[in-house]
Amino acid sequence: MPEASDKTKSAGKQPAIKDFTICEATAQMLEKARRDGVETAFDRAANMKPCPIGADSACCKNCSMGPCRLNAKDPYGKVGVCGATIDTIMARNFARMVASGAAAHTDHGMSMLDLFREVVHGKIKEYRIKDTRKLELVAREVGIETEGRSVEDIANDLYAELELTYTQVEGEIPFAKRVPKKTLETWRKLGIVPRGAMREIMELMHRTHIGVDQHYENITKQCSRTALADGWGGSMVATEISDILFGTPTPVAVDVNMGVLKQDQVNIIVHGHEPNLFESMLISVNTPTLIEAAKAAGAKGLNLVGMCCSGAEMMSRHGIPHAGNFMSTEAVLITGAVDAMCVDVQCIKQGLAKVAECYQTPLITTNPRCHIEGAKHIEFREHDPQATTDEIVLQAITRFKNRQMPVEIPKITNAGIHGFSHEYINYMLGGTFRGSYTPLNDNIVNGRIRGVAGVVGCTNPRVKHDWVHVELVKELIRNDVLVLQTGCSQISLAKAGMLTPEAAHLAGPGLREVCETVGMPPVLGMGSCVDNSRILIAAAEMVRVGGLGDSIADLPLAGAAPEWMSEKAISIGHYFVASGVYTVFGVTFPIVEGTKFHKLLFEGLESMGIGKWGFEPDPYEMARLMIAHIDKKRKALGIDRARERVLVDMADRREIAAA
Ligand code: SF4
Ligand code: MSK
């Protein structure tokens, strides 16, 4: 066991672990880490004060005349060497976060599209088109004729069309066709309809170079265009193509938390974001020769478990157990029970390498984009995917056979229902034949459901892990707000037992009645962070169905990322804002209050007909802000007084289906 790091040793009195997290399994492992002398991101966050100038986004290092630091307390008292004002500096920094986050999602989406092309062209045979119904549906939505045509022909045309999402230099991205008319008109008027993601990201990076765009309003305009190229472009393509290739999720009961690890089995964790690695791993762990090899090594079998967003996708599609979210990825290694952790891209802490080394767990990188010093790299090749995943399984079996560490697995699992795609919500509330969001809209109009909130995003050691998510969501459902979730937030709530129909008793009377009638949880888990696009589609559908205004900005809808940390989160937040949604972030916000850029993001954008940003670290106050916004929208729609409507229940739906 390596020595405790100097920082941990010199830290003196250590903060109480109960202040780090409300996740009992993570807390148990953090206690063990202290006994073992192992450091995690929680310790590092406690020992490293964030730079206050950076936290305010009041510094710039875009050229070597700087870096320049401005004073957040007197933001207009000073400019950078080039003359850049605080607004220019903050807008450029914000823009670069949007560009990076959008690049992450669009590169992920493009990888899925590359895979789709190779499958359609017959060059990759290990994957196939699983959901032909969805293929046709998406094709029709982007204007492709499907009647009487073969799956291959439709798929070829869909590939060519969706490639424009990334490469098109002029025009509008294909999924602009899904945007409600009035929202699209607003975008056109503002000049923010995305062309292709590559062009938008490139232009945003160009504009933030020294001496180019030096007007915060114009920079923000390109931020919106780039973020929309992520939400309605790269992310949406990632979600839709993954559904077409691997299946559209439907509700499935899944166990979440570290208790899904098995002492007597070979435990393999897949952590990251792209589903192709995980799909191949699923085949490998079900291969009889590998199962036999595991048994020959003394194990009862192979136990495949997900983490973070690849885990969220796989639990939605296949019911694969999930061990925890971003802030539990080091903690899970401390169990000593993980025989291999394989990772692809995004949100993979470099600190995992050190913790994995401490517990003799192979940490295996698989994507050419992501190597980690100290980790083993086994490249995942889509043309021969199982060669990689079989090799990882064999390494895990070897580690199991040679396990020397005492194993301590927290005995905690939380059952829940996951996999609420927007298509399934359509069915659940409207039925196959009605096929619409009408009952949802009706229940919003009649006031049983006050509004809808998307609560999404990361976990962050700068706040008490999981706590802000859980308290915010409890407060929202108590006030009859239906909550849609993705990413690490969904796992926080799953661990709190809130993704079960039984959690309806925690909801207000109206939402509880709807949940009990339909048999659904008050908190609906929709998948990974790219799957936030499902929330956009659900919002567009609510507008299309009618009764709640003409644009997304009219809906009684709000969004939140209460424990965000990544640049992807900023891109997601900004595409929700640009789509018309009031979006509140917790933890911190990279901006100086009272500046012109702050006023633009937090007020001005709304007056242009789109959404606006909010910031509030306290979950109860955050809920209050979101509910006040929902009520404001209800008032504008003239539905602030409840009107009675009849609920469509399961029996009604069966009757409709039988008719
Ligand atoms: Fe300073 Fe301007 Fe260079 Fe930024 S671009 S580092 S503000 S001189
Ligand atoms: S993994 S971006 S910590 S949600 Fe998608 Fe979780 Fe945030 Fe990464």
Side-chain angles (χ1 to χ4, degrees):
M1 184 75 55
E3 283 288 299
S5 79
D6 290 344
K7 239 179 210 163
T8 310
K9 278 194 275 185
S10 64
K13 195 172 174 304
Q14 291 175 311
I17 282 169
K18 68 173 175 37
D19 294 332
F20 284 160
T21 179
I22 59 162
C23 171
E24 286 175 30
T26 302
Q28 185 180 333
M29 288 305 101
L30 294 181
E31 295 285 2
K32 181 172 185 291
R34 286 209 174 150
R35 292 196 301 275
D36 295 346
V38 171
E39 183 192 75
T40 70
F42 288 102
D43 304 308
R44 291 187 290 273
N47 292 334
M48 190 187 294
K49 263 180 92 72
C51 163
I53 303 164
D56 286 330
S57 197
C59 54
C60 176
K61 56 178 177 62
N62 288 13
C63 86
S64 71
M65 294 190 285
C68 301
R69 292 178 304 165
L70 270 51
N71 181 358
K73 292 204 169 61
D74 181 19
Y76 293 103
K78 203 170 151 188
V79 293
V81 174
C82 67
T85 63
I86 186 75
D87 295 301
T88 298
I89 288 173
M90 289 188 302
R92 283 197 305 220
N93 291 342
F94 187 81
R96 287 192 168 202
M97 294 180 87
V98 170
S100 167
H105 285 143
T106 51
D107 198 30
H108 168 173
M110 202 155 179
S111 294
M112 292 301 105
L113 201 61
D114 287 342
L115 175 63
F116 181 64
R117 181 193 59 234
E118 296 297 274
V119 170
V120 174
H121 291 174
K123 291 188 184 151
I124 293 180
K125 302 207 185 306
E126 281 73 11
Y127 305 102
R128 63 191 172 82
I129 293 175
K130 206 163 173 185
D131 194 340
T132 51
R133 190 167 168 265
K134 177 141 189 181
L135 170 80
E136 290 182 14
L137 200 85
V138 176
R140 278 198 297 275
E141 281 185 278
V142 292
I144 294 167
E145 179 61 53
T146 57
E147 201 57 40
R149 301 184 68 206
S150 71
V151 165
E152 287 70 29
D153 282 351
I154 298 168
N156 261 314
D157 283 0
L158 184 62
Y159 170 75
E161 183 66 17
L162 293 187
E163 198 192 48
L164 300 176
T165 303
Y166 305 96
T167 56
Q168 184 172 257
V169 290
E170 274 307 325
E172 298 179 350
I173 51 167
F175 283 138
K177 295 189 180 75
R178 284 179 160 176
V179 179
K181 198 164 157 270
K182 191 174 158 202
T183 304
L184 189 58
E185 276 168 12
T186 306
W187 292 0
R188 284 179 180 147
K189 199 173 80 208
L190 297 174
I192 58 170
V193 188
R195 295 160 290 182
M198 287 174 172
R199 176 128 214 201
E200 303 310 351
I201 294 166
M202 181 169 64
E203 186 173 319
L204 190 55
M205 290 306 287
H206 176 194
R207 287 203 202 183
T208 57
H209 188 275
I210 158 90
V212 188
D213 205 346
Q214 285 153 107
H215 198 304
Y216 67 99
E217 284 175 354
N218 207 39
I219 297 168
T220 306
K221 190 168 133 183
Q222 184 59 16
C223 280
S224 301
R225 208 175 191 189
T226 306
L228 291 172
D230 172 356
W232 296 86
S235 282
M236 200 170 276
V237 169
T239 298
E240 300 299 56
I241 292 296
S242 300
D243 282 357
I244 290 168
L245 284 175
F246 307 125
T248 304
T250 54
V252 56
V254 188
D255 280 339
V256 171
N257 218 327
M258 289 187 209
V260 300
L261 297 173
K262 306 276 182 252
Q263 170 106 23
D264 52 6
Q265 295 197 27
V266 178
N267 294 301
I268 300 169
I269 289 183
V270 182
H271 158 33
H273 281 79
E274 294 187 351
N276 44 356
L277 169 71
F278 214 145
E279 292 280 346
S280 178
M281 186 59 86
L282 187 55
I283 297 171
S284 290
V285 298
N286 284 299
T287 302
T289 49
L290 291 174
I291 297 171
E292 279 316 306
K295 288 186 176 160
K300 283 215 170 116
L302 296 166
N303 184 35
L304 179 60
V305 165
M307 288 197 90
C308 246
C309 278
S310 18
E313 287 210 23
M314 291 302 276
M315 71 181 193
S316 301
R317 290 206 179 89
H318 303 291
I320 304 284
H322 197 291
N325 56 24
F326 175 68
M327 279 317 295
S328 300
T329 52
E330 287 171 308
V332 80
L333 295 171
I334 295 159
T335 60
V338 182
D339 297 301
M341 176 182 271
C342 53
V343 299
D344 51 31
V345 288
Q346 300 170 17
C347 305
I348 297 147
K349 295 186 204 85
Q350 186 162 1
L352 288 174
K354 185 79 181 158
V355 182
E357 187 197 340
C358 293
Y359 294 94
Q360 295 159 10
T361 294
L363 175 70
I364 300 164
T365 54
T366 58
N367 193 294
R369 295 166 183 80
C370 170
H371 287 229
I372 298 175
E373 209 181 331
K376 183 164 192 161
H377 189 78
I378 305 177
E379 191 131 326
F380 181 73
R381 295 179 207 284
E382 279 161 345
H383 292 79
D384 189 10
Q386 258 182 274
T388 306
T389 48
D390 285 0
E391 170 63 20
I392 293 170
V393 172
L394 288 170
Q395 298 217 358
I397 292 171
T398 304
R399 195 274 184 179
F400 177 89
K401 206 164 144 187
N402 303 323
R403 264 191 205 171
Q404 287 161 1
M405 293 278 155
V407 165
E408 180 183 331
I409 301 173
K411 291 187 180 53
I412 306 170
T413 55
N414 307 100
I417 313 287
H418 300 260
F420 288 90
S421 53
H422 58 89
E423 288 90 344
Y424 191 83
I425 294 175
N426 201 31
Y427 162 71
M428 177 175 69
L429 294 164
T432 306
F433 291 91
R434 287 171 65 105
S436 85
Y437 276 56
T438 306
L440 173 64
N441 284 22
D442 282 353
N443 280 305
I444 293 173
V445 171
N446 69 30
R448 282 198 181 88
I449 296 176
R450 189 172 194 158
V452 177
V455 180
V456 305
C458 325
T459 50
N460 184 325
R462 298 273 172 217
V463 295
K464 198 191 275 187
H465 171 220
D466 290 339
W467 180 77
V468 198
H469 288 292
V470 172
E471 292 307 304
L472 170 66
V473 171
K474 276 189 188 161
E475 203 64 18
L476 289 170
I477 65 167
R478 200 175 286 143
N479 286 283
D480 291 320
V481 176
L482 176 67
V483 173
L484 308 180
Q485 290 223 276
T486 62
C488 292
S489 182
Q490 182 177 328
I491 306 306
S492 303
L493 270 296
K495 288 187 288 178
M498 304 281 286
L499 277 95
T500 59
E502 294 71 37
H505 79 273
L506 296 167
L511 178 60
R512 182 166 63 229
E513 191 184 344
V514 176
C515 291
E516 285 171 354
T517 309
V518 179
M520 70 178 200
V523 182
L524 304 180
M526 300 183 86
S528 66
C529 42
V530 289
D531 293 333
N532 281 312
S533 60
R534 296 192 200 278
I535 301 180
L536 293 178
I537 299 169
E541 198 55 22
M542 285 165 72
V543 175
R544 198 186 61 76
V545 159
L548 294 174
D550 302 322
S551 76
I552 294 176
D554 294 335
L555 294 171
L557 170 68
E563 299 184 23
W564 77 281
M565 63 87 199
S566 71
E567 291 168 317
K568 288 188 297 168
I570 288 285
S571 179
I572 293 167
H574 202 70
Y575 74 60
F576 272 106
V577 167
S579 298
V581 183
Y582 175 46
T583 304
V584 192
F585 270 34
V587 190
T588 182
F589 202 93
I591 204 159
V592 177
E593 248 184 85
T595 53
K596 288 185 273 183
F597 181 56
H598 181 266
K599 283 203 184 81
L600 176 66
L601 292 195
F602 285 65
E603 292 167 28
L605 294 179
E606 191 178 41
S607 63
M608 297 176 192
I610 54 177
K612 65 176 176 183
W613 279 94
F615 166 63
E616 175 52 62
D618 177 77
Y620 311 110
E621 181 58 15
M622 189 182 272
R624 195 193 63 73
L625 291 171
M626 292 167 78
I627 292 164
H629 178 80
I630 284 169
D631 287 349
K632 183 176 92 178
K633 294 294 172 183
R634 291 185 66 87
K635 194 161 187 219
L637 290 165
I639 57 167
D640 46 336
R641 286 230 189 100
R643 280 178 279 145
E644 279 307 302
R645 293 275 174 91
V646 178
L647 281 168
V648 178
D649 65 11
M650 273 297 185
D652 291 336
R653 274 221 306 286
R654 274 192 291 272
E655 255 179 53
I656 294 162

